[in-house]
Amino acid sequence: MNETSGSTPISTRIERIATLARQLRDKPLTTLAHHIDLDWLREAHRRTRKDGATGVDGQTADEYAMNLEDNLRSLLERAKSGTYRAPPVRRAYIPKDRGEMRPLGIPTFEDKVLQRAVAMVLEAVYEQEFLDCSYGFRPGRSAHQALDVLHREANRMAGGWVIEIDIRKYFDSIDHERLREILHSRIRDGVIQRLIGKWLNAGVLEAGAVTRMEAGSPQGGVVSPILANIFLHEVLDVWFHRDVRPRLRGRAHLVRYADDAVMLFGSEEDARRVMAVLPERFGKYGLTLHPDKTRLVAFKRPDRMRRPSDDEEGPDKPGTFDFLGFTIHWAKAFKTGKWVVKMQTARDRLRRAMHRISQWCKGHRHLPLRAQQHALGLQLRGHYGYYSRRGNQAKVWTLLHLVRREWRKWLGRRSQRGLSWDKMIRLLQRYPLPTPSVVVSA
């Protein structure tokens, strides 16, 4: 069923909500839930991923779709009447770098559909509120756009001073009461408020026990990204543009993607003043900045850095910082010899990608070569699609070389004789792995 199944296309109805939000920009919106009807739920169902893990009820998307119309009617009636009970999310873990694990909360499929329906309403409202500095989990915006803006501003300002912001366990630390206050200033619809409250209080099922949380928005929930964006919009974006930037002496720029953010300052004094008040600002909302990963970096263009005298301390060359999987640094352009900002794959991201591929090769080394070639090709193309940016060619090719070496290693374990490089070269001619494409990014 497509989005025009009802008398009015869903896209038109979303635009009506957006128009209302623009017209009543500084006023609370009290009537929104009436937009969520059966057609709206059908569209929410269409937009919901069907291949995700199952929740606590074990129901798959295919099973839900077997009686879709009746299921959606029942869901709508329960949501509007207040009898809908948000089931706890199922706790799962995915590996992070250095052996750590990231917790995920997996809702039931029906809960995902209803969360998607509410997220569609919230997105229509808050897209009129969100500022240009944020790029994460927003329609028509991407991590590459955030990187492009940072690249352009850093070059334009000849660098400067950078505050690299790292919020400790952000998604687990969102204060529910604070979030409700922020939402209440804009969303006064009782049905929407009640549903969000139920999701916040649903709890997490792990090892057979349900734990209720007073803070946090489980990563994995469909509505979690928009709620997390709304929270940081108030905590960081609005504060920076309304209260901070007007008081600064020099230029400053904020770029945020979800909970990853960097601030770029033309003045060292400005940067140090903001760095000093950041912990207090985040602490006001129950958030903690990582003491080691949140740092101030001297990032002035190398030919404009003042070398410290013998009796004073200070950097004599610019530092580097990481953002969205890239290490940002200064280097000389190959053709012109001028200093430019460049981005290369962050060391931990390269190591993480290589570890994942190595584990795959180890566990699937007995598959037919054609199947292995196909699977490795998919992983490499995914990496190229994100990391193939101008100035990062060497790092992208490095991964390919490492993958070829790792593939040879595990193919060699299939027999006691191993696999020589001569044989591997011939194998790669028959089963070639994809090479990086032409770089078009900044």
Side-chain angles (χ1 to χ4, degrees):
M1 190 80 65
N2 60 36
E3 70 166 50
T4 61
S5 59
S7 58
T8 304
I10 298 300
S11 57
T12 301
R13 293 160 64 182
I14 289 175
E15 182 54 37
R16 286 178 181 173
I17 299 175
T19 300
L20 179 67
R22 287 192 295 269
Q23 292 172 346
L24 304 176
R25 188 172 295 277
D26 298 320
K27 297 180 181 179
L29 304 176
T30 58
T31 56
L32 292 169
H34 68 278
H35 292 284
I36 301 178
D37 58 11
L38 196 56
D39 289 328
W40 192 278
L41 285 182
R42 290 191 188 105
E43 176 62 14
H45 173 268
R46 187 187 70 82
R47 296 187 184 190
T48 302
R49 280 187 57 186
K50 311 300 190 296
D51 59 348
T54 58
V56 295
D57 63 355
Q59 187 178 47
T60 66
D62 289 341
E63 291 169 345
Y64 193 82
M66 290 174 64
N67 197 18
L68 182 60
E69 289 300 302
D70 287 344
N71 285 335
L72 293 182
R73 287 191 183 93
S74 171
L75 178 60
L76 180 63
E77 192 279 327
R78 285 177 284 137
K80 293 294 183 73
S81 66
T83 60
Y84 181 78
R85 297 184 61 183
V89 297
R90 181 172 65 85
R91 174 68 80 209
Y93 294 89
I94 58 173
K96 292 175 59 178
D97 196 33
R98 299 178 182 177
E100 298 179 3
M101 302 296 287
R102 181 189 301 278
L104 293 180
I106 303 174
T108 64
F109 183 77
E110 182 175 69
D111 211 30
K112 291 177 184 178
V113 173
L114 188 55
Q115 287 191 31
R116 175 63 64 193
V118 171
M120 288 162 59
V121 175
L122 294 178
E123 183 180 282
V125 172
Y126 279 97
E127 274 301 308
Q128 319 316 311
E129 310 283 328
F130 289 153
L131 303 179
D132 285 342
C133 63
S134 69
Y135 293 86
F137 305 113
R138 294 183 59 187
R141 290 181 162 236
S142 67
H144 280 179
Q145 290 176 336
L147 290 164
D148 289 342
V149 168
L150 179 61
H151 181 270
R152 183 180 68 245
E153 290 298 321
N155 273 309
R156 183 180 297 170
M157 294 172 62
W161 289 78
V162 169
I163 295 180
E164 188 178 359
I165 298 175
D166 188 283
I167 307 171
R168 176 175 280 170
K169 297 182 178 180
Y170 172 62
F171 281 87
D172 296 331
S173 304
I174 298 175
D175 185 274
H176 291 176
E177 195 58 38
R178 280 290 195 175
L179 176 58
R180 288 190 183 95
E181 291 174 3
I182 293 171
L183 287 167
H184 189 69
S185 67
R186 194 68 169 118
I187 307 293
R188 298 281 177 88
D189 185 287
V191 173
I192 301 293
Q193 286 186 332
R194 185 168 60 242
L195 287 172
I196 293 174
K198 289 182 177 184
W199 288 321
L200 293 176
N201 295 325
V204 175
L205 177 65
E206 185 173 14
V210 176
T211 304
R212 310 290 176 182
M213 304 292 186
E214 295 184 0
S217 181
Q219 296 184 67
V222 175
V223 79
S224 292
I226 183 72
L227 294 180
N229 254 351
I230 291 169
F231 199 68
L232 271 187
H233 168 73
E234 178 67 26
V235 175
L236 181 59
D237 304 355
V238 172
W239 172 72
F240 180 81
H241 286 85
R242 180 190 63 202
D243 300 332
V244 173
R245 200 156 65 174
R247 293 178 170 87
L248 301 180
R249 296 177 58 185
R251 294 177 59 186
H253 202 88
L254 166 67
V255 181
R256 179 175 70 82
Y257 187 94
D259 59 329
D260 290 322
V262 292
M263 295 177 177
L264 181 64
F265 300 87
S267 162
E268 178 183 355
E269 180 183 350
D270 287 342
R272 294 193 180 279
R273 287 170 56 201
V274 174
M275 184 70 176
V277 299
L278 270 179
E280 180 181 355
R281 174 64 184 180
F282 279 82
K284 179 181 176 181
Y285 290 85
L287 301 175
T288 304
L289 296 178
H290 196 291
D292 299 322
K293 296 180 181 179
T294 298
R295 60 196 188 103
L296 181 62
V297 180
F299 195 67
K300 203 72 177 175
R301 203 170 75 191
D303 59 340
R304 296 192 179 185
M305 291 197 71
R306 181 179 64 87
R307 292 183 176 273
S309 60
D310 294 337
D311 59 348
E312 66 178 350
E313 296 182 355
D316 59 358
K317 61 181 181 179
T320 66
F321 63 96
D322 287 353
F323 186 55
L324 298 180
F326 287 87
T327 296
I328 321 298
H329 64 103
W330 284 100
K332 286 189 175 183
F334 179 75
K335 292 183 178 180
T336 64
K338 295 181 179 179
W339 287 105
V340 294
V341 174
K342 290 193 175 184
M343 302 181 178
Q344 66 181 24
T345 309
R347 185 179 302 174
D348 65 324
R349 297 300 180 93
L350 184 61
R351 182 173 60 246
R352 190 185 309 172
M354 198 57 237
H355 175 75
R356 182 177 64 251
I357 292 174
S358 176
Q359 291 299 109
W360 189 93
C361 289
K362 177 182 178 181
H364 298 83
R365 61 185 182 272
H366 294 296
L367 288 180
L369 290 175
R370 184 68 67 189
Q372 293 190 49
Q373 176 203 29
H374 177 72
L376 290 174
L378 289 177
Q379 295 186 63
L380 284 169
R381 288 189 183 93
H383 187 90
Y384 299 159
Y386 185 75
Y387 287 101
S388 289
R389 296 179 64 88
R390 184 170 293 116
N392 194 38
Q393 295 95 324
K395 286 290 185 180
V396 174
W397 277 95
T398 294
L399 180 69
L400 175 60
H401 296 320
L402 292 174
V403 169
R404 287 170 173 167
R405 187 179 69 183
E406 201 69 11
W407 197 20
R408 169 182 171 266
K409 168 185 170 181
W410 290 109
L411 287 178
R413 300 286 178 91
R414 303 207 301 188
S415 70
Q416 294 182 344
R417 292 179 296 177
L419 183 65
S420 69
W421 266 113
D422 287 340
K423 290 182 178 179
M424 186 64 190
I425 291 172
R426 290 195 296 271
L427 185 148
L428 286 169
Q429 291 172 346
R430 186 174 180 183
Y431 302 99
L433 295 177
T435 56
S437 57
V438 177
V439 178
V440 295
S441 301

